[in-house]
Amino acid sequence: MLKTRIITALILMLVLVPAITWLPQQGWAVFTALVIALGAWEWGALVGQQARGRVIYGALVGGGLLAFTLLMPDWLFWPNAELKPVLSILYGLTTLFWLILVPLWLRYRWPISGISGLLLGLVVLCPAWLALVQFRALGVALLLAVLSIAWVADIAAYFSGRAFGKHKLAPSVSPGKTWEGVVGAVLGVLIFGFIVGPWAAISVVTWALL
């Protein structure tokens, strides 16, 4: 398991870091659209789609994002004064979705399938794509710092869960996750935040003042 994770991480880094560093902004938008298309293909399996349906869904999501990239190039950069209110609402609703609806969804195990499941996938995937694109417009280093939060959390959760994990977090959803892993992830992210937080805060404040 650990060996597979390491190999996967190395492959991803060999592809991701050059893409973040060297691609122009529109090229980065296209690259991430293709990644999100793969995510849509995976989401199709989660909501019960068969092989053909998963391919069609992934192609539609990816194609839609590519069309958006070509037709709405202003959205690929951190928003100007006209776009800020719209994007504040979009990101605000997305945040509420993850903070309120997703925990309830996991708690009560609401079924997701059919059209409703596919529409839910758009809520999960498309704002994530836009955030990846716009964060990159703020700077490569800042985007890597944001992505590193997820990487640090995953690594810390894995090792703390393997070392101390006894209490299952959500056995019906992910049997391998434990509360000890959650504690490890939180501590890992806090330590990481203390290291990069002051620099990241300066970058965000600079954007807010523009």
Side-chain angles (χ1 to χ4, degrees), residues 10 12 17 37 54 90 124 146 160 162 183-184 191:
L10 289 175
L12 288 175
V17 172
R54 294 173 62 188
L90 173 63
V124 171
V146 172
S160 58
R162 288 290 298 269
V183 173
I191 294 171

Side-chain angles (χ1 to χ4, degrees), residues 97-112:
F97 168 78
W98 285 103
L99 292 178
I100 297 175
L101 289 182
V102 170
L104 291 174
W105 172 23
L106 296 176
R107 170 65 176 82
Y108 295 105
R109 303 178 191 175
W110 294 333
I112 53 170

Side-chain angles (χ1 to χ4, degrees), residues 107-133:
R107 170 65 176 82
Y108 295 105
R109 303 178 191 175
W110 294 333
I112 53 170
S113 60
I115 298 298
S116 61
L118 297 177
L119 293 175
L120 184 62
L122 299 180
V123 177
V124 171
L125 296 168
C126 293
W129 170 79
L130 188 59
L132 283 172
V133 173

